[in-house]
């Protein structure tokens, strides 16, 4: 869909304003109810900020889905596992976060009422003496309201994710990693003319992804790219996440470049799944930190830190997932490095080292920048596995 933005009019704008008003982000008494005015843009930006979305003041597909989900408040409707189209909404996410606080395993708080959420509800119902049908109706809601937090001072989901990583062992051999070069096809991403040259984000991140594919494959990893160099149509983020899930990937890495109107903006930033309520993917957060530190140490790019976001790409993937913004293409300083193949090789080695470190037990972690990626290839070539 074409993003709805400042100056637009029509029924879609009226619907957007209605949802924003129910969230107390926009006064319903503001005139011109069908115009996307300055008040509406400020409210959209506030909504995007609160939901961990890209804050651009426009309503694209992802913001529209988030607004649609925000209509529902927990308790306003009965929640159940629907097939083939599961129920989604802010009420589902609130329920998932509540159950996580109480120690029940719903997986990721992704706002989708799937099998795992239904099983967690059934377990809760069984423990409080209700019929364990996995449906969250009035009786289950009353039981949830009566009970306080079951787990205090701990993060049970963090423990589950960390234990799963620990149990899988430290080697990369045999793992499946999906590498996602952002944009592509009809969407070139950031485009910067540079003299006689024209650099595009889509082309550069595909080259990065191809180099990363080669390094990981040499370390014994099964690698799948989400797109080739000549994609006809840009693949939506939802489809990229579903591809990773269908492959049963162990790790998902999305590669992007940033851009800004101010050419002084520069640096690398890494994103993992997280919400404004503090719910996060623990392993995704750890991987993001490792990727960020390795890239900064090995390339000298400015450290723009790690951030929690609820983008579809991170929310819908069921494995540790990160999105890496490897510098600003609009920055002359960053661009001079990004167009250098040797620099891109250093970025790739940093990401491979970070993935390897994620599988090391925390007590056996190594200093940032100390892993020699060529040694990982040597281990595979020798047919041995490091334990």
């Amino acid at each position: 869909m074409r993003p709805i933005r400042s100056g637009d009019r029509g029924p879609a704008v009226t619907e957007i304003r209605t949802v924003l008003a129910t969230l107390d982000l926009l006064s319903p008494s503001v005139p011109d109810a069908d115009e996307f005015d300055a008040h509406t843009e400020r409210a959209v930006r506030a909504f995007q900020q609160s939901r961990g979305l890209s804050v651009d003041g426009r309503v694209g597909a992802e913001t529209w889905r988030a607004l649609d989900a925000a209509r529902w408040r927990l308790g306003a409707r009965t929640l159940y596992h629907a097939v083939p189209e599961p129920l989604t909404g802010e009420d589902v996410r609130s329920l998932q976060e509540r159950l996580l606080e109480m120690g029940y395993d719903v997986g990721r708080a992704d706002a989708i009422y799937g099998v795992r959420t239904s099983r967690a509800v059934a377990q809760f119902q069984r423990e409080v003496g209700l019929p364990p049908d996995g449906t969250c109706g009035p009786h289950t809601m009353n039981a949830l309201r009566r009970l306080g937090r079951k787990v205090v001072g701990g993060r049970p989901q963090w423990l589950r994710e960390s234990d799963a990583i620990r149990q899988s062992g430290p080697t990369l051999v045999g793992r499946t990693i999906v590498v996602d070069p952002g944009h592509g096809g009809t969407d070139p991403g950031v485009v910067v003319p540079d003299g006689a040259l024209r650099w595009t984000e889509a082309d550069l991140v595909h080259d990065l992804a191809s180099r990363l594919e080669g390094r990981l494959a040499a370390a014994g990893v099964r690698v799948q790219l989400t797109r080739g160099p000549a994609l006809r149509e840009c693949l939506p983020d939802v489809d990229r996440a579903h591809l990773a899930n269908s492959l049963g990937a162990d790790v998902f890495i999305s590669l992007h470049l940033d851009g800004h109107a101010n050419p002084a903006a520069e640096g690398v930033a890494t994103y993992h799944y997280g919400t404004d309520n503090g719910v996060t993917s623990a392993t995704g957060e750890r991987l993001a930190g490792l990727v960020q530190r390795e890239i900064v140490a090995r390339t000298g790019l400015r450290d723009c830190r790690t951030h929690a976001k609820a983008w579809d790409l991170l929310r819908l993937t069921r494995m540790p997932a990160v999105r890496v913004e490897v510098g600003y293409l609009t920055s002359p300083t960053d661009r001079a490095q990004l167009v250098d193949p040797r620099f891109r090789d250093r970025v790739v080695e940093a990401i491979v080292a970070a993935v390897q470190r994620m599988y090391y037990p925390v007590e056996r972690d190594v200093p940032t920048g100390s892993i020699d990626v060529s040694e990982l290839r040597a281990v595979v070539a020798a047919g041995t596995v490091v334990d």
Side-chain angles (χ1 to χ4, degrees), residues 94-134:
S94 297
L95 173 64
Q96 291 171 326
E97 291 178 351
R98 181 84 170 93
L99 289 168
L100 283 171
E101 287 179 348
M102 299 174 71
Y104 295 97
D105 182 13
V106 301
R108 186 168 297 179
D110 57 6
I112 302 172
Y113 203 99
V115 173
R116 206 162 173 180
T117 300
S118 179
R119 288 174 179 166
V121 170
Q123 182 185 353
F124 168 76
Q125 291 169 326
R126 191 177 297 109
E127 292 182 5
V128 297
L130 294 173
D133 59 5

Side-chain angles (χ1 to χ4, degrees), residues 10-20 33 64 67-68 71:
V13 176
T14 304
E15 194 170 354
I16 291 168
R17 290 170 59 93
T18 299
V19 176
L20 292 170
W64 180 271
L67 282 166
D68 187 56
R71 301 171 188 271

Side-chain angles (χ1 to χ4, degrees), residues 291-312:
V291 168
Q292 182 71 15
R293 294 196 295 275
E294 288 286 348
I295 291 178
V296 170
R298 293 171 186 256
T299 67
L301 285 170
R302 181 185 296 275
D303 187 359
C304 295
R305 300 185 299 278
T306 62
H307 308 272
K309 289 290 183 182
W311 293 325
D312 288 343

Side-chain angles (χ1 to χ4, degrees), residues 190-201 204 257 263 328-340 344:
V190 180
V191 179
V192 176
D194 187 8
L197 301 174
R198 178 179 179 271
W199 300 105
T200 71
E201 177 184 1
L204 286 169
L257 303 180
Y328 281 75
L329 194 55
T330 49
S331 159
T333 303
D334 283 2
R335 185 168 65 252
Q337 299 184 84
L338 290 165
V339 301
D340 182 348
R344 296 198 294 274

Side-chain angles (χ1 to χ4, degrees), residues 29 72 85 88 101 112 116 142 172 278 326 335 345:
S29 62
W72 298 104
E85 292 295 329
T88 62
E101 287 179 348
I112 302 172
R116 206 162 173 180
N142 287 337
L172 294 182
V326 193
R335 185 168 65 252
D345 279 338

